Amino acid sequence: MLKIEPDRLLNDLKRLRSFGATGTGVVRLSLSPADMDARRWLAQRMSEAGLSASIDGVGTVFGRSRNDGPALLIGSHTDTQPTGGWLDGALGVIYGLEIARALAECGETRHLAVDVASWIDEEGAFSGFLGSRSFVGESVDAAIRSARNREGVLLGDALEQAGLAAAPRVRLDKTRHKAYMEPHIEQGGRLEAHGKSIGVVTTIVGIRELRLRFTGQRNHAGTTPMSIRRDAGAALVAFIARMNEAFSQLADADTVWTVGRIELDPGSFSVVPGSADMCLQFRDAGAERLRAMEAALAALIRDFNAQEKVSVAMLDGEPPEEPVTMDAALQAHLASAADALAPGQWERMPSGASHDAQVIAHHVPACMLFVPSIGGVSHDFIEDTAEAHIVLGCEVAANAAARILEAMRK
Amino acid sequence: MLKIEPDRLLNDLKRLRSFGATGTGVVRLSLSPADMDARRWLAQRMSEAGLSASIDGVGTVFGRSRNDGPALLIGSHTDTQPTGGWLDGALGVIYGLEIARALAECGETRHLAVDVASWIDEEGAFSGFLGSRSFVGESVDAAIRSARNREGVLLGDALEQAGLAAAPRVRLDKTRHKAYMEPHIEQGGRLEAHGKSIGVVTTIVGIRELRLRFTGQRNHAGTTPMSIRRDAGAALVAFIARMNEAFSQLADADTVWTVGRIELDPGSFSVVPGSADMCLQFRDAGAERLRAMEAALAALIRDFNAQEKVSVAMLDGEPPEEPVTMDAALQAHLASAADALAPGQWERMPSGASHDAQVIAHHVPACMLFVPSIGGVSHDFIEDTAEAHIVLGCEVAANAAARILEAMRK
């Protein structure tokens, strides 16, 4: 069994938390002063761990093992949401650092190569998954020229300001990087509900984000009888009920759908809404199920428009994100390490949230490991994970990393 | 039969339309320059008709017949909504003016007294029904001190600016004012749908305006399974469905209810709403039915809170408005004039909208007559009524006025 140092792990996580600390939470938006301070500290800690560390031309911190490959790349992100928690992203990066140190300190594993990354802007302050997208070779030049954060600052100007504009961009080296591992907090309540300590991720779910607009007739709410109304809001409510029924028939226990926003126009007591918009998101680990849900929605829209006095149309939504399957062999190594260190305390599960792993998995075999989120909460100041779970997760990840690296060399 | 002059009636309506004309609509908010110009013109036209005209201390234009009472008071309002139509309110005021002239021009009726009013601020730019409330003796001093329009101007300052602050306020004289008549456009589509030209109003409906708040748990829309969600938005949608069912069982063809506004918090694709608000209004001519609907709603809330994972609470709403019945004898005079001038073309109906008549009816017997609104539209630039209906409505109102006044003197 590979040993990690729990105190060193926890202390590094707590030190990272201090950059941008706000109450129990963290405000560390990409390329902000707090974020850049954290990145410089992280590069320093990587160097102290024997890695060759740098901050690249988009802001990704990359610590390269001085050992020859094949290498396992371990990463996540240290930027946060506008009101973020201390572990989201940070956990996986510090796990990578600790695993690199643990491998180097053990005679049997010190020849193995772990590279560690903190990808820039996973949270999309400027452009989501910027670091991992740049790493796998997607062009980010358009984003650098035109993406702005909510203060209106251009990404290119922020990189200039951070002194990174001229720095080289780190790129995937397929001759070296043979696997990617992203440890992360679960961000949901499933492990806690099931009394488990470790999740081995099977798939990162696919996402559809759609806007529906209902168009009826705006009217006086006192003088327009119910029988002749064309109430766009009432139509929206009726549509959601039918949609819930249709989706329920297609769903399994992990399928989720959310109406996150409803707007009625003009939005007053005394006016029958003439127009009504809703934002709909649905997620599932199965590409086929997502397509079935899309088809069911299209059929509902057709039927609605054929039968009802209010029409419904789909507006432009976000581009679809397809589900991404985690590599089976890597999952097996995680499962075997979990079985050894936490027998009966782990389970396989999909990731309902998005991660850099879904970008990288298209180019390199990838896997993810989850630790429980207390109360299922993340993206919130109260986000937390029990210290025992933080330590156990790192032990499982470290031992899986050793097994993965040994297997690569066979 | 008392004769009116259709051209004079229509020309005065068109002249009044020119104050604040905006495209086919009118923007003539209470005490605005356009509104004050219109009021001065109206007072002048009243004087020319032989009435003793003045603009009172809150802005109401009052034309008093020089004949002794008993008098019939005919009125409505010449202020408009922010994007108003040309007939809403204006029609009834110019009907009053034309009826006063028609009575004075006929030997048999020239001894009868019709007073004419254009009540200030029916539409509530500062404080709804200000003129009629002041007229019946309600205190409006608090409103004068504190009510502001949407530009932030204090009512008291607007009155000062208009040169009215020191003017006397006209008051109901119960020894003189024995009846009130308010002719108005229907503002709905019932007369048009039924192919009728005249509506005799039975009741002005009562109104309830309530806000409901659903409280669940905000969560990540990707990582929170449907089974453990406490989705405030989904709960709101389910509640509305139950409410529609309960209200449908209590309703008659004239009962209306409207969810005019829905807000989900925080209102984004990726977050399960933790809180959801809705604005609910319902109207009915029957006080008992309104109370039954309130009771049904209270029962739904109780059941919901007992069964569901999301709680619902009623927030502060608007004070209830009870239905106001129009005087039976005055209705009979309107019906008899309609029968004579438009046999088979009229019907009795409730008013789904609010009117100054509901304020005055608590103090003096009151009645209302409706003419059709094209397409049922009002409070909109395209609001209109066929000229033939405008003329017919005035003829019916004039002959009913003569009958009412003759009956008063018996």
Side-chain angles (χ1 to χ4, degrees):
Chain A
M1 281 293 155
L2 184 65
K3 293 286 174 204
I4 63 156
E5 277 196 29
D7 286 346
R8 183 171 60 187
L9 166 70
L10 293 169
N11 286 339
D12 276 347
L13 277 169
K14 288 170 189 169
R15 177 73 178 101
L16 180 51
R17 179 182 200 161
S18 72
F19 298 97
T22 307
T24 59
V26 176
V27 177
R28 199 165 59 219
L29 291 153
S30 289
L31 301 177
S32 64
D35 181 51
M36 285 308 303
D37 286 347
R39 286 177 193 279
R40 284 184 284 265
W41 169 82
L42 177 62
Q44 177 63 33
R45 287 301 274 163
M46 286 175 171
S47 298
E48 289 161 17
L51 301 174
S52 165
S54 63
I55 306 180
D56 91 338
V58 294
T60 291
V61 186
F62 202 85
R64 192 177 193 277
S65 168
R66 296 178 192 278
N67 292 339
D68 290 336
L72 169 65
L73 177 59
I74 302 179
S76 192
H77 62 98
T78 50
D79 65 305
T80 72
Q81 285 276 321
T83 53
W86 74 295
L87 291 171
D88 179 0
L91 180 103
V93 174
I94 301 300
Y95 272 21
L97 174 65
E98 178 58 25
I99 292 168
R101 290 186 295 223
L103 289 167
E105 287 162 358
C106 169
E108 286 169 41
T109 57
R110 66 167 47 115
H111 63 291
L112 299 175
V114 162
D115 294 354
V116 182
S118 168
W119 313 113
I120 192 76
D121 210 20
E122 192 266 354
E123 300 290 8
F126 294 94
S127 179
F129 306 112
L130 178 70
S132 50
R133 287 192 292 118
S134 171
F135 180 73
V136 299
E138 291 183 25
S139 172
V140 296
D141 292 332
I144 290 172
R145 278 193 306 273
S146 63
R148 292 179 186 274
N149 67 10
R150 57 182 191 167
E151 277 78 43
V153 176
L154 206 61
L155 174 54
D157 293 342
L159 290 170
E160 190 78 46
Q161 183 73 25
L164 298 174
R169 297 183 198 162
V170 65
R171 291 290 290 273
L172 171 66
D173 174 358
K174 286 197 176 183
T175 65
R176 175 179 177 83
H177 300 123
K178 297 296 186 189
Y180 175 69
M181 179 193 291
E182 184 162 355
H184 206 279
I185 55 168
E186 179 194 353
Q187 302 184 270
R190 177 201 292 247
L191 291 173
E192 192 176 74
H194 294 184
K196 305 290 184 185
S197 308
I198 299 287
V200 174
V201 175
T202 52
T203 314
I204 299 173
V205 300
I207 305 183
R208 297 294 185 278
E209 293 192 341
L210 307 166
R211 289 169 216 273
L212 298 184
R213 173 163 295 168
F214 296 78
T215 304
Q217 174 65 52
R218 187 191 285 202
N219 256 315
H220 192 295
T223 59
T224 314
M226 301 304 275
S227 58
I228 64 167
R229 290 187 178 196
R230 296 175 54 223
D231 181 331
L236 176 146
V237 166
F239 186 91
I240 291 175
R242 294 189 205 174
M243 183 185 79
N244 286 341
E245 202 175 326
F247 282 3
S248 294
Q249 285 172 14
L250 295 169
D252 73 4
D254 294 323
T255 311
V256 291
W257 63 97
T258 308
V259 175
R261 189 177 184 89
I262 294 175
E263 269 180 294
L264 309 187
D265 181 75
S268 75
F269 271 118
S270 275
V271 186
V272 178
S275 171
D277 286 2
M278 64 182 253
C279 290
L280 169 66
Q281 183 193 76
F282 49 96
R283 306 191 189 210
D284 196 80
E288 261 183 58
R289 182 177 283 119
L290 288 169
R291 281 193 289 275
M293 292 172 82
E294 284 177 314
L297 194 64
L300 278 176
I301 290 173
R302 262 196 317 276
D303 290 356
F304 206 83
N305 284 330
Q307 292 169 18
E308 303 294 330
K309 292 185 288 187
V310 171
S311 67
V312 54
M314 206 179 291
L315 308 185
D316 283 351
E318 300 297 312
E321 285 183 25
E322 295 302 334
V324 177
T325 304
M326 298 291 96
D327 182 77
L330 296 179
Q331 281 187 58
H333 286 299
L334 282 172
S336 142
D339 244 354
L341 286 155
Q345 290 177 56
W346 67 277
E347 66 181 25
R348 293 186 196 261
M349 62 182 293
S351 168
S354 303
H355 297 286
D356 288 299
Q358 74 199 52
V359 174
I360 295 168
H362 289 294
H363 303 270
V364 176
C367 63
M368 291 195 72
L369 168 145
F370 280 169
V371 294
S373 294
I374 294 173
V377 178
S378 74
H379 289 185
D380 191 290
F381 283 178
I382 65 166
E383 170 191 292
D384 206 0
T385 294
E387 284 198 354
H389 287 153
I390 294 176
V391 171
L392 176 65
C394 192
E395 287 168 343
V396 172
N399 280 279
R403 289 162 197 235
I404 289 165
L405 283 161
E406 291 296 358
M408 278 179 193
R409 291 177 167 259
K410 273 174 193 156
Chain B
M1 281 295 155
L2 183 65
K3 293 286 174 204
I4 63 155
E5 277 196 29
D7 287 347
R8 183 171 60 188
L9 166 70
L10 293 169
N11 287 339
D12 276 346
L13 277 169
K14 289 169 188 169
R15 178 73 180 100
L16 179 51
R17 180 183 199 161
S18 71
F19 298 97
T22 307
T24 59
V26 177
V27 177
R28 199 166 59 220
L29 292 153
S30 290
L31 300 177
S32 65
D35 181 51
M36 285 308 301
D37 286 348
R39 287 177 191 279
R40 284 184 284 264
W41 168 82
L42 177 63
Q44 177 62 33
R45 288 301 274 163
M46 287 176 172
S47 297
E48 289 161 16
L51 302 173
S52 165
S54 62
I55 307 181
D56 90 337
V58 294
T60 291
V61 186
F62 202 84
R64 192 178 193 275
S65 167
R66 294 178 195 278
N67 293 336
D68 289 338
L72 169 65
L73 178 59
I74 302 179
S76 192
H77 62 97
T78 50
D79 65 306
T80 71
Q81 285 276 323
T83 53
W86 74 294
L87 291 171
D88 179 2
L91 180 103
V93 173
I94 302 300
Y95 273 19
L97 174 64
E98 179 57 24
I99 292 166
R101 291 186 294 225
L103 289 168
E105 287 161 359
C106 169
E108 286 169 43
T109 56
R110 69 166 46 114
H111 62 290
L112 299 175
V114 162
D115 296 353
V116 182
S118 168
W119 313 113
I120 191 79
D121 208 21
E122 193 268 351
E123 301 290 7
F126 294 94
S127 178
F129 307 111
L130 178 70
S132 51
R133 287 192 290 117
S134 171
F135 180 74
V136 299
E138 291 182 24
S139 173
V140 296
D141 293 332
I144 290 173
R145 279 194 306 272
S146 63
R148 293 178 187 275
N149 67 9
R150 55 182 192 166
E151 277 78 45
V153 177
L154 206 60
L155 175 54
D157 293 342
L159 291 169
E160 190 78 47
Q161 183 74 24
L164 297 173
R169 297 182 199 162
V170 64
R171 291 291 289 273
L172 171 66
D173 175 359
K174 286 198 177 181
T175 66
R176 176 179 176 83
H177 300 123
K178 296 297 185 190
Y180 175 69
M181 179 194 290
E182 184 162 356
H184 206 279
I185 56 168
E186 180 194 352
Q187 303 183 268
R190 177 202 293 247
L191 290 174
E192 193 177 74
H194 294 184
K196 305 291 184 185
S197 308
I198 299 288
V200 173
V201 175
T202 52
T203 313
I204 299 173
V205 302
I207 305 182
R208 297 294 185 277
E209 294 192 339
L210 307 165
R211 289 169 216 271
L212 298 184
R213 172 161 296 167
F214 296 79
T215 304
Q217 175 65 51
R218 186 191 287 203
N219 256 316
H220 192 295
T223 59
T224 314
M226 301 303 273
S227 59
I228 64 166
R229 290 186 179 198
R230 295 175 54 223
D231 182 330
L236 176 146
V237 166
F239 187 91
I240 292 174
R242 295 189 203 175
M243 184 185 76
N244 286 342
E245 200 175 327
F247 281 3
S248 294
Q249 285 172 14
L250 295 171
D252 73 6
D254 295 322
T255 311
V256 291
W257 63 98
T258 307
V259 175
R261 188 177 184 88
I262 294 174
E263 270 181 293
L264 309 187
D265 181 76
S268 75
F269 270 118
S270 275
V271 185
V272 178
S275 172
D277 286 3
M278 65 184 250
C279 290
L280 168 68
Q281 183 193 76
F282 50 95
R283 305 192 190 210
D284 195 79
E288 261 183 58
R289 182 177 284 117
L290 288 169
R291 280 193 290 274
M293 292 171 81
E294 284 177 315
L297 194 64
L300 278 175
I301 290 173
R302 262 196 319 275
D303 289 358
F304 206 84
N305 284 330
Q307 291 167 19
E308 303 295 330
K309 291 185 288 188
V310 171
S311 67
V312 53
M314 206 179 293
L315 308 185
D316 282 350
E318 299 298 312
E321 285 184 25
E322 295 303 334
V324 178
T325 305
M326 297 292 96
D327 182 75
L330 296 178
Q331 281 188 56
H333 287 299
L334 283 171
S336 142
D339 244 352
L341 286 155
Q345 290 178 53
W346 68 277
E347 67 180 28
R348 292 185 196 262
M349 62 183 292
S351 168
S354 303
H355 297 287
D356 288 300
Q358 76 199 52
V359 175
I360 295 168
H362 289 295
H363 303 271
V364 176
C367 63
M368 291 195 73
L369 169 145
F370 280 169
V371 293
S373 293
I374 294 173
V377 178
S378 75
H379 289 185
D380 191 291
F381 282 177
I382 65 165
E383 170 191 291
D384 206 1
T385 295
E387 284 198 354
H389 286 152
I390 294 176
V391 171
L392 177 65
C394 191
E395 286 169 343
V396 171
N399 279 280
R403 288 161 199 236
I404 290 165
L405 283 160
E406 290 296 356
M408 277 178 192
R409 292 178 165 258
K410 274 173 190 156

